Amino acid sequence: MSSAPTVVAVCGSVREESTTRTALEYVLRAAADAGAETELLDLGEYDLPVYDPDADVQGDEEAVKRIVREADSIALGTPVYHGSYSGALKNFHDYCGWDEYEDTTVGLLATAGGGSYGSTLDHLRITVRGVHGWVLPHQVGIRGASSEFEDDPDAPDGRRFVDPDLEERVEKLGRMLVEYAYITPDVTTSRAAADDD
Amino acid sequence: MSSAPTVVAVCGSVREESTTRTALEYVLRAAADAGAETELLDLGEYDLPVYDPDADVQGDEEAVKRIVREADSIALGTPVYHGSYSGALKNFHDYCGWDEYEDTTVGLLATAGGGSYGSTLDHLRITVRGVHGWVLPHQVGIRGASSEFEDDPDAPDGRRFVDPDLEERVEKLGRMLVEYAYITPDVTTSRAAADDD
Amino acid sequence: MSSAPTVVAVCGSVREESTTRTALEYVLRAAADAGAETELLDLGEYDLPVYDPDADVQGDEEAVKRIVREADSIALGTPVYHGSYSGALKNFHDYCGWDEYEDTTVGLLATAGGGSYGSTLDHLRITVRGVHGWVLPHQVGIRGASSEFEDDPDAPDGRRFVDPDLEERVEKLGRMLVEYAYITPDVTTSRAAADDD
Amino acid sequence: MSSAPTVVAVCGSVREESTTRTALEYVLRAAADAGAETELLDLGEYDLPVYDPDADVQGDEEAVKRIVREADSIALGTPVYHGSYSGALKNFHDYCGWDEYEDTTVGLLATAGGGSYGSTLDHLRITVRGVHGWVLPHQVGIRGASSEFEDDPDAPDGRRFVDPDLEERVEKLGRMLVEYAYITPDVTTSRAAADDD
């Protein structure tokens, strides 16, 4: 545990200009500042056909799964499409399983064009539980995402946050992915208990 | 309203042998028996790349959207992947919007390899609400789906249900998609009310 | 169906000054304007002890269930407590069942002190489905509810909406509870179908 | 962290004979075997009127909140009522807040009379997140709960499990509440990171 944890951010939007990806770059910067090795997994740059359980290996499946498996913490970011996560993100998620998510800490972020992101974050939380990832209680939803950023060539992904409170919430997600990268049984406690018996 | 309603079933699995598709064939047969024109929209047979809001038209997008738009009722069927709907189904759903779902009645069906389908049906219900479809209260979840069917060359999709109660629940979904195909404001009531004012 | 529908609004807050109740009064006013008989079921005025399935009859159980059973449409309004509906509303709901909700149209409204009401509306939608109520696609969430109203002695519950768009969304809920008070199978269609066989 | 953690189980049913309570007794026994101090918080034995944010102190509020605040881990158990948690459990939960749940590990258990417990566990998970509790990925749902137990005077709560696999799942919940009672930031990692800067 003395080594730096690896934090991977998965961007569930394939748009050229994605507020989801910009926000995730802030998550990763905060994680790096807290000592992590970081990587952006931009789904637009990988070939992941619609998941077919019957197929042997599809597209970049192996590469993507290895990245997730080797991560200590994962940030899942998605745009809100019809009140839930994007098909792109779920399709990625369908490729991964218990092997990929075991002992992995997961942070959630959703960006909404309009006003509501609650269902999206809930659906993410539930489907990550389905593969037994550890989802952080802290999560980030961004309403009216396109107006929450201003161009700034020096900022991550070329855009800065308009609202510093929101930026702080996003950065907190990055820090917590580092701080809670290694959630493990408190073995001493159980063993001490066993000795008492 | 005198014409037969059109009921379309969307299969969210792209597997060759899909219990989701088999169950949907029973839904469609029951709908046809109740007087509907029916069609299976098997996502495995359409080219729907990962949805990109920036793209003009992608693959078979236009054809798929027209089918949904012209349907009076839609059955959405999905396998349970990690406690939620398949990426394939959500990707299809991302292409559709209010235009496609307006005044459309929707019935939900989920097939689980293991035991739990509750979250999946809930996520479907919420995302269909996001485009203002009318989701029937009656819904169908199938646990341990692979052992719920037996080969039968004369049955829909070549398989019959082992459990007649489950078959009845599936057929009820088909019937209700016909019976409630035209959910409309009870204009007489409102107009009468207006007259009273 | 020629008679005026009955629309009942259930207030899931027991506070003296409740924004949930105020919003529901607007729902009921809009329903009355559209021709309905209306009634507010203010849970603070009824004795409903914690629901015990073993008990014969508890407190005002019978009165409350009769009101729900006789309603054509129900508006369920709740404050957001810890990201979900209030215990008060769920306790009321626990008393009701299929008999109460059969063929009943349900509209949902949630008021949040802070920013997020999505999970609350979702949980309501799912639990009403559990008793087979027909939940309208249109729903209303109110963020920062305490600052959305201004005192106005002539307004419903003594308060007017600050934002006319939000007021319109609330009134639309009332109108739709009238317009869709009688969701019934389109019998003609099925019968015609049967004749064809 | 050298002391034994405290694990509290909250029973969301007020029935005399509750399968929820029986299952929770197994959770607590497993937690005790793993070295914890344990306590059952049986809501039927406390006076918790419907929560009113305007009231100063209601019934046994102070006692109940102190128990939750002092616990390291909490097991929340609920019967499935209308596809969600009981009003009794949510009413208890409404009294608690961030102070009570901060740094608390939470395990979820639901018992269904019929077949589906998925929505109930999801709603619990989301509302506990609302107060920032750490919810374990492992959770337990019990279908057809009344037939899952047999009388046995020597067993916890006088009943033994029929299915040993289910019993093991329940006991695993108790063990994990002990093993993960102290989820804390991996301070060394962050500090090392800070030193690097």
Side-chain angles (χ1 to χ4, degrees), chain B residues 14-134:
Chain B
V14 301
R15 301 184 72 168
E16 200 68 31
E17 265 199 36
S18 157
T19 52
T20 303
R21 195 187 56 229
T22 305
L24 289 174
E25 292 284 16
Y26 279 84
V27 170
L28 291 180
R29 188 180 67 170
D33 286 350
E37 301 290 327
T38 65
E39 175 171 1
L40 179 73
L41 201 165
D42 194 339
L43 293 178
E45 297 179 3
Y46 289 84
D47 171 36
L48 283 181
V50 168
Y51 174 65
D52 179 354
D54 289 336
D56 277 348
V57 175
Q58 297 177 266
D60 295 328
E61 170 181 355
E62 298 284 17
V64 163
K65 285 165 72 172
R66 190 175 55 246
I67 293 171
V68 176
R69 213 162 42 232
E70 294 179 355
D72 298 299
S73 295
I74 303 271
L76 295 178
T78 184
V80 174
Y81 289 164
H82 301 342
S84 187
Y85 42 63
S86 67
L89 188 81
K90 186 49 165 59
N91 191 49
F92 148 80
H93 190 57
D94 287 350
Y95 280 95
C96 302
W98 287 40
D99 284 351
E100 280 69 36
Y101 278 102
E102 191 163 38
D103 295 328
T104 303
T105 301
V106 180
L108 307 178
L109 180 146
T111 55
S116 201
Y117 50 72
S119 314
T120 302
L121 291 169
D122 292 352
H123 295 185
L124 275 177
R125 185 168 295 271
I126 297 306
T127 194
V128 171
R129 191 219 74 84
V131 287
H132 281 211
W134 276 96

Side-chain angles (χ1 to χ4, degrees), chain A residues 107-109 117-118 121-122 125 135-141 169 173, chain C residues 119, chain D residues 129 132:
Chain A
L108 307 178
L109 182 147
Y117 50 72
L121 290 169
D122 291 354
R125 186 168 293 271
V135 189
L136 294 172
H138 179 65
Q139 64 188 17
V140 180
R169 281 183 60 82
L173 193 68
Chain C
S119 314
Chain D
R129 192 218 74 84
H132 279 213

